[in-house]
Structures are given as structure tokens and as C-alpha cells.
């Protein structure tokens, strides 16, 4: 497998140059593109006429939803396994220094995630949980593949159970503002589930992921897991029905919806789902067993295929801009969130008017309902097209900009600032006495 050298400043083992693994950079880029697609490939304007058709682009976006974030989490573990190889070989003070480095990195990344969440509301930011994943993995850098797989399974089971508890127990029981539930228990990215993804990433890297035989096995295993999970998921979805928020097609029917408050938010007349569906749900971000199995399977298959593909020189040449973007994922992700926030700001300034139109469309009939629906549809089309344009521009522009940047710099701007911040903290602090 072809690799390229990544420059780094001399110093401790965690600071020295490491070879870049091209397939991993390509997988990182695909993970980011998948998340951008899940965030921006919206289709509200199509839900009215084609709610369950292949003509509805929302059906295409669902392919990326949840699975790309799982790949991002898996690659976090792969990265930890790569950077820990030399310190573990050297031993001594290098191991606690490595742990301090990873924990500091995790705290800074989580802090960036909190800032991005406060700056915008359009995207559920993964970086907060991603930072906690680094902190958790730092404590387990000495573990071998077999134990890492076992810990990953336990972490994912704990994550599914925490999602179940969070769904059944009111948030107010946990705390008034729900931060613990959102970050550690429920939310879009339950931390125990993403720690599990990271542990699997560490384990597969330590199986010898440079070996093409291992790459093929990882690809085949992932594809098999995904196939089984989503086949069973189709059965589960037909067996158990669960209550969900009324879709836009219900709003478009003209029938008054009694469960709408004066704030325009939909209230459920029954629990969102029963415990059986939560445990086995195949839906993205549900935390169900089949969701985790399918998402992890897709992530493993994509990682394996990227590694195998990058053994070909022609593929390397064709994917060079993509790999350049994948080599600076933090920078690209931050740019994605900020540009999406700008578009949301430009088009969601009409949010008050939108909610008024939504209320009118739901609670009225006749000409008033039809007029509100026409305005609502126009607003949705305008917003959808703006997000599609941003998605296309991002997929084209980010690899080009990353290629130009990496001609002069070894790291992306955010990655360089992160490395300097971590280096300053670890240089000023003696390594803690963590020898186990």
C-alpha cells in the first residue's frame, strides 16, 4: 500500500513524522462528504408529492445518514492506533505522554464542538462526542485487538441501553438543560456508541491493516454485517410499528392536526416507540442493535475498500485532491459547519413567517390552507436548492483548496493549531504516572 510522509516537528515519539496511509485519508474524505450530504441533501419540498418514492432525494440522503458519522468514529480509533505505535514500542515515559497528548487533543476537539454548536443550529455537531472518544481511547492504548473488540461490544451494548433509558425517562429527571442526556446518553451521537466505533477502529488497525489480506477480510466482514443487519431491519420495521412525528405529507393533506401547540411544535399523543423497537431499530442514529451493526458494517466495508483501491497507482492519482481533503478533516469539517450556518442564516431568517405558515396550513382548510401551502412549498424549494448548491460547491471546492494548501503545508490550518495547542500543554506538563 502506497504511503506518503507527513512532516512533523522533531520531539517526542508522538511528534515525529509518520507515514500517511492513503486509503485512510480517502476514507476520511468519504466520511466527511457523507456527513455533508446527510446535512444538506434535504428534500422537504419533495416530501409533499413523493414522500416514499425513489423520486424523493431524501431516500438517497438516508444512505449516508448515521453511517458516515460511524465511519468518522471508526477512523478516530484507527488514528489513535497509528499514533500510539511508536510510543508503545519505546515504552517508559512515552506511554503516559501519549495518553496526555490524546486527552488534551480530545478536550480541545470537544471544546471546538461546543463552540460550533453555539454558533449555529443547522447541524448536529459530532466533534463534542468525537473529543470524548479520544479521551476514552487514550486510557486503552495498551490493549490488544481481542480485548478491544470485547470492550467495543460492551460499550455499544451500554450505549444502546443508555438510549433506551434516555427515551423512556424524561430529560428533566437527568438535569434541567439536558446536556448530560444529549452528550452522554441520548442525542444524535451517544458517546458510548461512538467510543465503541473507536475501539473497533483501534482493533482492526492492530490486526495488521496494512496487509491486503486483512483489508479484504475487513471489507468482506463489514459488507456481510451490513447485509444481515439491514435484511433483519426490514423485517423488524414491518413487524413493529412505532409512533413518529407527522410528516409534511400529513400537513399537506389539509386535515387539522390537533397535536400542535401554539409554538408550532408537534406533540406526540403516545411514546415515540416501544422498548422492543428501540433495542432492535435499524434506523440511523436510533442506537438500536441493528443500526449499530449496519452502520459499523458499512464503515468497515468502506474503510477496507478504500485501502484496497489505493493500492492502485491510477486510483492514487485520481483521488489525490480527495485524499488531500481527507488529510485535514478537522479543517474541512469546521468549514462545512460554518458555511452551512451561513446558508441557514440567509434562508431561515423567515423562520417566524415559516412557523406561521405551518400553523395556518395545519389548522385551516379551503383557500387559506391552499395559499399557505403554496407559500410554504416555495420557501421549501428555495431553501432546498440553496443547500444543494452549497453541497455541490463544497464537494468540488474543498478538495481543490486542500490540494493547494498542502503544496506548502504538511497539515491543515485547524490541524496545525490543534497540534501546537497540544504540544504547548504537553511540553509544559510532566507526563503523568499512567503506566498501565
Amino acid at each position: 500500500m502506497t504511503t506518503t510522509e507527513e512532516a512533523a516537528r522533531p520531539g517526542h515519539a508522538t511528534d515525529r513524522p509518520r507515514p500517511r496511509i492513503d486509503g485512510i485519508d480517502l476514507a476520511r474524505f468519504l466520511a466527511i462528504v457523507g456527513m455533508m450530504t446527510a446535512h444538506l441533501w434535504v428534500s422537504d419540498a419533495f416530501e409533499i408529492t413523493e414522500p416514499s418514492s425513489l423520486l424523493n432525494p431524501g431516500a438517497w440522503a438516508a444512505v449516508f445518514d448515521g453511517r458516515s458519522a460511524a465511519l468518522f468514529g471508526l477512523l478516530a480509533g484507527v488514528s489513535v492506533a497509528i499514533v500510539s505505535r511508536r510510543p508503545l514500542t519505546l515504552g517508559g515515559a512515552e506511554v503516559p505522554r501519549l495518553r496526555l497528548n490524546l486527552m488534551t487533543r480530545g478536550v480541545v476537539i470537544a471544546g471546538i464542538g461546543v463552540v460550533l454548536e453555539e454558533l449555529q443550529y443547522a447541524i448536529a455537531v459530532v466533534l463534542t462526542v468525537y473529543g470524548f472518544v479520544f479521551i476514552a481511547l487514550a486510557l486503552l492504548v495498551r490493549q490488544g485487538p481481542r480485548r478491544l473488540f470485547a470492550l467495543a461490544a460492551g460499550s455499544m451494548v451500554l450505549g444502546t441501553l443508555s438510549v433506551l433509558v434516555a427515551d423512556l425517562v424524561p430529560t428533566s429527571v437527568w438535569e434541567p438543560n439536558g446536556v448530560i442526556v444529549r452528550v452522554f446518553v441520548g442525542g444524535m451521537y451517544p458517546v458510548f456508541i461512538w467510543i465503541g466505533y473507536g475501539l473497533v477502529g483501534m482493533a482492526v488497525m492492530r490486526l495488521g491493516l496494512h496487509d491486503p489480506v486483512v483489508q479484504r477480510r475487513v471489507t468482506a466482514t463489514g459488507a456481510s454485517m451490513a447485509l444481515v443487519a439491514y435484511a433483519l431491519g426490514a423485517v423488524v420495521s414491518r413487524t413493529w410499528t412505532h409512533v413518529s412525528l407527522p410528516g409534511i405529507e400529513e400537513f399537506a393533506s389539509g386535515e387539522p392536526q390537533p397535536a400542535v401547540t401554539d409554538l408550532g411544535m408537534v406533540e406526540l399523543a403516545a411514546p415515540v416507540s416501544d422498548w422492543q423497537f428501540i433495542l432492535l431499530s435499524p434506523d440511523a442514529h436510533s442506537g438500536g442493535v441493528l443500526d449499530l451493526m449496519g452502520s459499523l458494517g458499512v464503515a468497515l466495508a468502506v474503510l477496507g475498500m478504500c485501502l484496497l483501491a489505493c493500492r492502485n497507482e491510477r486510483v492514487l492519482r485520481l483521488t489525490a485532491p480527495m485524499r488531500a481533503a481527507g488529510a485535514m478533516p478537522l479543517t474541512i469539517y469546521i468549514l462545512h459547519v460554518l458555511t452551512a450556518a451561513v446558508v441557514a442564516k440567509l434562508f431561515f431568517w423567515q423562520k417566524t413567517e415559516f412557523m406561521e405558515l405551518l400553523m395556518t396550513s395545519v389548522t385551516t382548510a379551503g383557500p387559506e390552507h391552499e395559499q399557505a401551502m403554496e407559500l410554504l412549498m416555495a420557501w421549501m424549494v428555495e431553501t432546498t436548492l440553496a443547500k444543494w448548491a452549497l453541497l455541490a460547491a463544497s464537494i468540488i471546492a474543498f478538495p481543490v483548496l486542500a490540494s493547494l494548501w498542502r503544496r506548502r503545508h504538511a497539515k491543515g490550518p485547524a490541524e496545525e493549531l490543534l497540534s501546537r495547542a497540544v504540544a504547548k500543554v504537553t511540553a509544559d506538563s510532566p507526563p503523568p504516572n499512567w503506566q498501565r
Side-chain angles (χ1 to χ4, degrees):
M1 176 172 39
T2 305
T3 60
T4 55
E5 289 295 321
E6 175 186 309
R9 68 176 180 82
H12 298 295
T14 52
D15 302 319
R16 293 183 179 177
R18 293 181 299 273
R20 295 212 68 89
I21 302 177
D22 297 305
I24 292 176
D25 285 337
L26 179 59
R28 283 197 190 98
F29 174 74
L30 294 180
I32 295 173
V33 168
M35 285 189 284
M36 290 193 298
T37 303
H39 297 154
L40 298 175
W41 193 255
V42 292
S43 58
D44 289 343
F46 292 83
E47 294 285 352
I48 295 176
T49 56
E50 302 289 345
S52 59
S53 168
L54 289 177
L55 297 177
N56 173 17
W60 314 336
V63 173
F64 302 94
D65 194 20
R67 297 156 189 86
S68 52
L71 176 57
F72 210 49
L74 181 79
L75 291 169
V78 171
S79 298
V80 170
I82 292 172
V83 301
S84 63
R85 186 181 301 147
R86 182 177 175 83
L88 290 176
T89 301
L90 295 176
E94 293 298 338
V95 175
R97 185 175 285 110
L98 167 68
R99 288 188 169 127
L100 179 61
N101 182 300
L102 291 172
M103 287 184 168
T104 306
R105 188 174 298 268
V107 170
V108 174
I109 290 174
I112 295 172
V114 171
V115 172
L116 290 178
E117 286 181 345
E118 292 298 320
L119 288 177
Q120 53 83 48
Y121 56 86
I123 289 174
V125 177
V126 72
L127 292 183
T128 307
V129 169
Y130 197 68
F132 282 107
V133 171
F134 273 92
I135 295 171
L137 298 188
L139 300 174
L140 301 169
V141 290
R142 284 189 179 274
Q143 306 305 315
R146 188 171 299 179
R147 184 168 293 183
L148 288 171
F149 280 126
L151 289 170
S155 183
M156 289 183 174
V157 169
L158 182 59
T160 296
L161 293 177
S162 70
V163 170
L164 174 64
V165 172
D167 194 79
L168 298 178
V169 177
T171 303
S172 58
V173 173
W174 300 88
E175 60 172 329
N177 58 11
V179 174
I180 290 178
V181 173
R182 180 169 55 84
V183 176
F184 291 98
V185 184
M188 292 287 286
Y189 307 110
V191 71
F192 294 113
I193 290 175
W194 257 257
I195 289 173
Y197 290 145
L199 290 169
V200 172
M202 285 180 67
V204 296
M205 189 65 201
R206 289 181 175 170
L207 287 175
L209 205 51
H210 293 82
D211 187 341
V213 174
V214 176
Q215 294 167 10
R216 293 189 192 98
R217 288 175 179 171
V218 167
T219 304
T221 300
S224 301
M225 288 172 59
L227 182 63
V228 171
Y230 294 126
L232 291 175
V235 175
V236 169
S237 295
R238 292 178 180 274
T239 302
W240 280 305
T241 58
H242 60 290
V243 179
S244 60
L245 294 175
I248 193 66
E249 62 271 16
E250 282 82 7
F251 292 144
S253 67
E255 295 296 326
Q257 303 290 327
V260 177
T261 70
D262 58 351
L263 296 177
M265 301 301 291
V266 179
E267 290 182 342
L268 296 176
V272 173
S273 52
D274 55 22
W275 67 269
Q276 298 102 322
F277 193 87
I278 296 173
L279 287 177
L280 293 177
S281 173
D283 296 345
H285 294 294
S286 67
V289 172
L290 295 179
D291 168 35
L292 303 190
M293 182 178 175
S295 296
L296 180 59
V298 170
L300 288 170
V302 171
L303 174 60
M305 287 188 290
C306 287
L307 290 167
L308 289 169
C310 285
R311 301 185 67 83
N312 184 288
E313 291 295 333
R314 182 175 296 180
V315 172
L316 283 177
R317 289 194 296 271
L318 292 174
T319 60
M322 304 177 202
R323 290 184 290 104
M328 40 194 287
L330 183 60
T331 298
I332 300 299
Y333 187 86
I334 291 173
L335 287 174
H336 160 58
V337 173
L338 294 179
T339 52
V342 170
V343 169
K345 188 71 173 179
L346 290 175
F347 287 89
F348 280 80
W349 63 270
Q350 310 171 74
K351 188 174 181 181
T352 302
E353 291 87 341
F354 169 77
M355 297 309 301
E356 291 175 354
L357 286 173
L358 183 62
M359 284 295 299
T360 302
S361 69
V362 169
T363 58
T364 63
E368 190 175 359
H369 165 77
E370 293 177 2
Q371 183 181 10
M373 284 306 304
E374 288 179 4
L375 293 173
L376 198 60
M377 185 66 174
W379 183 88
M380 288 179 176
V381 169
E382 184 182 70
T383 304
T384 296
L385 293 178
K387 290 187 175 183
W388 286 2
L390 176 61
L391 176 61
S394 299
I395 292 175
I396 295 170
F398 288 162
V400 173
L401 294 174
S403 298
L404 295 174
W405 178 271
R406 282 183 59 80
R407 287 182 180 181
R408 293 178 175 271
H409 307 276
K411 299 179 181 178
E415 286 76 10
E416 181 62 33
L417 291 174
L418 175 62
S419 294
R420 291 183 181 182
V422 172
K424 183 172 179 58
V425 171
T426 54
D428 294 341
S429 304
N433 187 23
W434 296 328
Q435 295 298 331
R436 295 191 61 184

